[in-house]
Amino acid sequence: MAKETSTITESIGTVDAAAEPTAPSARAEEFYGQALRELAKLDFPFLLAGTYALSAYTGLVRATKDLDIVCKPTDYPRVLNHFQNLGYTVAIKDERWLGKVFQGEHFFDVIFAFWHGMAPVTDQWFESAQRIKVFGMPMRVIAPTELIWSKAFVQLRHRYDGADIAHVILKQHDQIDWRRLLAYMELHWEVLLAHLLNFRWAYPSERDCVPRWLMDELVARLKIQFERPPPLVKICRGRLFSLVDYEPAVEEWGFVDAGEGSE
């Protein structure tokens, strides 16, 4: 295991972050720096994601309320145990994908899968990760490909990450592994197509940022789908976007949740 981690580490380059987000207070910034220094002491890989990654890749500056730390499912209990032993408060928000570490009002998320366990973090997430400097320390940051994958299903009434995805495509299209992104979203290719159409509409002069082969592939799938009859089971996949916003479909309108089995 240690040898694999070392190999991953040696292949990672260092890039200049285009920007950094703003912490809500000096105390919060101190907490973030402290947390990252402690995480750096651990002998397994982790990635910085969320607003820090978005700012690094796009140059967008916005306030952040926390840190998003990404690790593999086998490593997240070790993160929580480490900080609990240091006197921090820890919680498992959802055992399928999310833990938290608190110090007073400040916290960081420990993410080991995305969207209710649908997309677990694997070794592949670390292969193309690069380093940026955060609080003077080199930290590995989630790659643009996985950043898009992690944001693709953030579509709630009060939060939508479609604009973030468009800006990552705009600024990092040549760093995106489009075939790997398609593989991640193979079962959810329509969601990927929707994001790509959103990008094309928002930035019509930059349409070539998305490979033509990918648009051809997704549009061809759509044409084939038109020729098929609708599914017999009334499924609401909208619950992958938001449990609350699509609740009436399951509770009142007779649709089956996409996560439930059917006979």
Side-chain angles (χ1 to χ4, degrees):
M1 178 68 74
K3 190 172 292 185
E4 291 177 3
T5 301
S6 174
T7 302
I8 291 171
T9 302
E10 289 168 5
S11 66
I12 296 172
T14 302
V15 297
D16 293 328
E20 289 187 11
T22 57
S25 67
R27 180 68 191 91
E29 191 168 312
E30 182 183 348
F31 167 75
Y32 298 158
Q34 235 173 26
L36 289 174
R37 283 189 290 273
E38 286 297 329
L39 285 162
K41 296 176 183 177
L42 302 177
D43 62 348
F44 51 82
F46 68 89
L47 301 171
L48 190 59
T51 306
Y52 277 88
L54 182 71
S55 295
Y57 287 132
T58 66
L60 293 171
V61 178
R62 64 172 66 154
T64 182
K65 68 181 186 305
D66 64 357
L67 289 174
D68 286 343
I69 301 299
V70 173
C71 66
K72 291 186 291 185
T74 53
D75 292 330
Y76 98 89
R78 299 166 66 187
V79 175
L80 298 187
N81 289 344
H82 179 77
F83 281 89
Q84 188 171 39
N85 291 338
L86 293 173
Y88 292 74
T89 301
V90 303
I92 300 174
K93 180 74 173 178
D94 188 326
E95 199 165 38
R96 294 170 295 180
W97 67 285
L98 177 63
K100 288 179 176 285
V101 175
F102 297 88
Q103 187 180 69
E105 62 182 312
H106 307 298
F107 67 95
F108 67 86
D109 288 339
V110 183
I111 302 168
F112 49 94
F114 283 86
W115 302 110
H116 311 293
M118 185 176 65
V121 177
T122 66
D123 284 328
Q124 192 175 38
W125 289 58
F126 299 89
E127 290 175 0
S128 56
Q130 296 185 334
R131 284 194 180 95
I132 60 170
K133 280 194 173 180
V134 182
F135 305 119
M137 298 174 289
M139 290 288 153
R140 283 173 283 192
V141 63
I142 188 172
T145 307
E146 282 73 26
L147 183 59
I148 291 174
W149 176 216
S150 72
K151 287 178 168 289
F153 288 84
V154 185
Q155 300 191 37
L156 298 90
R157 187 185 317 163
H158 61 282
R159 183 183 170 192
Y160 171 63
D161 280 3
D164 288 351
I165 290 175
H167 294 137
V168 173
I169 294 173
L170 179 67
K171 296 294 185 178
Q172 298 292 325
H173 57 91
D174 56 341
Q175 298 299 315
I176 296 168
D177 187 330
W178 294 101
R179 293 191 185 279
R180 190 160 83 228
L181 182 60
L182 178 59
Y184 284 139
M185 303 193 69
E186 187 65 45
L187 288 176
H188 312 287
W189 59 268
E190 290 156 297
V191 176
L192 177 58
L193 177 58
H195 281 297
L196 297 182
L197 290 174
N198 181 62
F199 171 78
R200 287 168 61 87
W201 185 87
Y203 292 106
S205 63
E206 311 304 313
R207 289 172 182 164
D208 288 346
C209 289
V210 178
R212 176 63 184 267
W213 69 262
L214 179 56
M215 293 302 301
D216 287 344
E217 168 66 21
L218 296 177
V219 170
R221 292 185 186 192
L222 189 63
K223 288 179 179 178
I224 292 172
Q225 190 186 69
F226 285 147
E227 304 305 316
R228 299 203 310 256
L232 296 177
V233 178
K234 292 168 62 70
I235 293 176
C236 176
R237 290 189 296 193
R239 302 266 288 177
L240 294 175
F241 294 141
S242 170
L243 293 174
V244 173
D245 295 333
Y246 290 89
E247 184 176 17
V250 174
E251 298 296 328
E252 302 173 27
W253 301 335
F255 287 84
V256 176
D257 191 298
E260 296 178 2
S262 60
E263 295 183 358

